[in-house]
Amino acid sequence: MAINFQVMTENQKNEYGRYVPDWEALKAGASCEEEKEYIDRIIAQDERWISKGRGEFVGFTFNMVYITKQSCGHFEIFQSPHNEHYTLEEVLEQAQEHTKSKCSRCMCGRY
């Protein structure tokens, strides 16, 4: 199974020094319409927080994100460092392992 991922550059850091993915590029790499809808929900969630005065998405600490379809059938986004200690191959192997678990919401009983 192919993993939709993005390694972000220093140019993708925001004013808080955090990484912000190119959401459109992630959508372009989506495996199916359902994954695109998941990414749209992430974007919409960020917009709802801003409109309710709760602040804004401040970005990711690490420079790589990936989206996997979990064993429960839901998609989830994860972040990881990508550098000489965390190679692309290792991170994608970790991503494959995540597909064997339920998503966070199912584990917490929120679905």
Side-chain angles (χ1 to χ4, degrees), residues 81-88 90-91:
H82 173 263
N83 55 39
E84 66 275 4
H85 303 289
Y86 296 92
T87 66
L88 184 60
E90 291 171 329
V91 174

mmCIF file of all heavy atoms in Angstrom, residues 81-88 90-91:
data_model
loop_
_atom_site.group_PDB
_atom_site.id
_atom_site.type_symbol
_atom_site.label_atom_id
_atom_site.label_comp_id
_atom_site.label_asym_id
_atom_site.label_seq_id
_atom_site.Cartn_x
_atom_site.Cartn_y
_atom_site.Cartn_z
ATOM 1 N N PRO A 81 10.016 13.252 12.200
ATOM 2 C CA PRO A 81 11.205 13.900 11.672
ATOM 3 C C PRO A 81 11.699 13.118 10.454
ATOM 4 O O PRO A 81 11.480 11.916 10.350
ATOM 5 C CB PRO A 81 12.208 13.824 12.821
ATOM 6 C CG PRO A 81 11.735 12.723 13.707
ATOM 7 C CD PRO A 81 10.264 12.612 13.501
ATOM 8 N N HIS A 82 12.328 13.804 9.552
ATOM 9 C CA HIS A 82 13.000 13.175 8.412
ATOM 10 C C HIS A 82 14.379 13.802 8.340
ATOM 11 O O HIS A 82 14.512 14.995 8.061
ATOM 12 C CB HIS A 82 12.222 13.405 7.123
ATOM 13 C CG HIS A 82 12.947 12.920 5.910
ATOM 14 N ND1 HIS A 82 13.687 13.754 5.125
ATOM 15 C CD2 HIS A 82 13.064 11.686 5.383
ATOM 16 C CE1 HIS A 82 14.232 13.055 4.143
ATOM 17 N NE2 HIS A 82 13.864 11.794 4.279
ATOM 18 N N ASN A 83 15.401 13.003 8.655
ATOM 19 C CA ASN A 83 16.774 13.485 8.661
ATOM 20 C C ASN A 83 17.714 12.290 8.588
ATOM 21 O O ASN A 83 17.269 11.180 8.271
ATOM 22 C CB ASN A 83 17.039 14.347 9.908
ATOM 23 C CG ASN A 83 16.711 13.619 11.192
ATOM 24 O OD1 ASN A 83 16.959 12.421 11.336
ATOM 25 N ND2 ASN A 83 16.132 14.336 12.151
ATOM 26 N N GLU A 84 18.979 12.497 8.900
ATOM 27 C CA GLU A 84 19.940 11.397 8.801
ATOM 28 C C GLU A 84 19.660 10.285 9.810
ATOM 29 O O GLU A 84 20.084 9.145 9.609
ATOM 30 C CB GLU A 84 21.385 11.918 8.952
ATOM 31 C CG GLU A 84 21.739 12.477 10.306
ATOM 32 C CD GLU A 84 21.366 13.941 10.508
ATOM 33 O OE1 GLU A 84 20.750 14.553 9.602
ATOM 34 O OE2 GLU A 84 21.663 14.488 11.581
ATOM 35 N N HIS A 85 18.943 10.573 10.876
ATOM 36 C CA HIS A 85 18.606 9.562 11.885
ATOM 37 C C HIS A 85 17.265 8.890 11.603
ATOM 38 O O HIS A 85 17.016 7.797 12.100
ATOM 39 C CB HIS A 85 18.581 10.182 13.283
ATOM 40 C CG HIS A 85 19.861 10.845 13.653
ATOM 41 N ND1 HIS A 85 21.017 10.141 13.919
ATOM 42 C CD2 HIS A 85 20.182 12.156 13.777
ATOM 43 C CE1 HIS A 85 21.987 10.978 14.200
ATOM 44 N NE2 HIS A 85 21.516 12.220 14.124
ATOM 45 N N TYR A 86 16.402 9.554 10.860
ATOM 46 C CA TYR A 86 15.078 9.040 10.509
ATOM 47 C C TYR A 86 14.955 9.095 8.990
ATOM 48 O O TYR A 86 14.472 10.078 8.429
ATOM 49 C CB TYR A 86 13.977 9.877 11.160
ATOM 50 C CG TYR A 86 13.995 9.821 12.667
ATOM 51 C CD1 TYR A 86 14.709 10.762 13.409
ATOM 52 C CD2 TYR A 86 13.315 8.824 13.339
ATOM 53 C CE1 TYR A 86 14.746 10.706 14.785
ATOM 54 C CE2 TYR A 86 13.340 8.758 14.724
ATOM 55 C CZ TYR A 86 14.058 9.703 15.441
ATOM 56 O OH TYR A 86 14.083 9.639 16.812
ATOM 57 N N THR A 87 15.412 8.045 8.345
ATOM 58 C CA THR A 87 15.415 8.021 6.885
ATOM 59 C C THR A 87 14.005 7.844 6.349
ATOM 60 O O THR A 87 13.102 7.384 7.064
ATOM 61 C CB THR A 87 16.289 6.874 6.354
ATOM 62 O OG1 THR A 87 15.683 5.622 6.728
ATOM 63 C CG2 THR A 87 17.712 6.957 6.888
ATOM 64 N N LEU A 88 13.834 8.204 5.096
ATOM 65 C CA LEU A 88 12.527 8.053 4.457
ATOM 66 C C LEU A 88 12.066 6.607 4.530
ATOM 67 O O LEU A 88 10.910 6.334 4.863
ATOM 68 C CB LEU A 88 12.597 8.533 3.006
ATOM 69 C CG LEU A 88 11.285 8.531 2.240
ATOM 70 C CD1 LEU A 88 10.254 9.428 2.908
ATOM 71 C CD2 LEU A 88 11.522 8.966 0.800
ATOM 72 N N GLU A 90 12.799 4.297 6.740
ATOM 73 C CA GLU A 90 12.397 3.951 8.107
ATOM 74 C C GLU A 90 11.045 4.564 8.469
ATOM 75 O O GLU A 90 10.200 3.903 9.083
ATOM 76 C CB GLU A 90 13.455 4.412 9.104
ATOM 77 C CG GLU A 90 14.739 3.632 9.019
ATOM 78 C CD GLU A 90 15.857 4.234 9.854
ATOM 79 O OE1 GLU A 90 15.902 5.478 10.022
ATOM 80 O OE2 GLU A 90 16.684 3.450 10.340
ATOM 81 N N VAL A 91 10.855 5.812 8.101
ATOM 82 C CA VAL A 91 9.595 6.480 8.441
ATOM 83 C C VAL A 91 8.430 5.823 7.695
ATOM 84 O O VAL A 91 7.361 5.600 8.269
ATOM 85 C CB VAL A 91 9.667 7.993 8.138
ATOM 86 C CG1 VAL A 91 8.316 8.649 8.364
ATOM 87 C CG2 VAL A 91 10.721 8.657 9.015
#
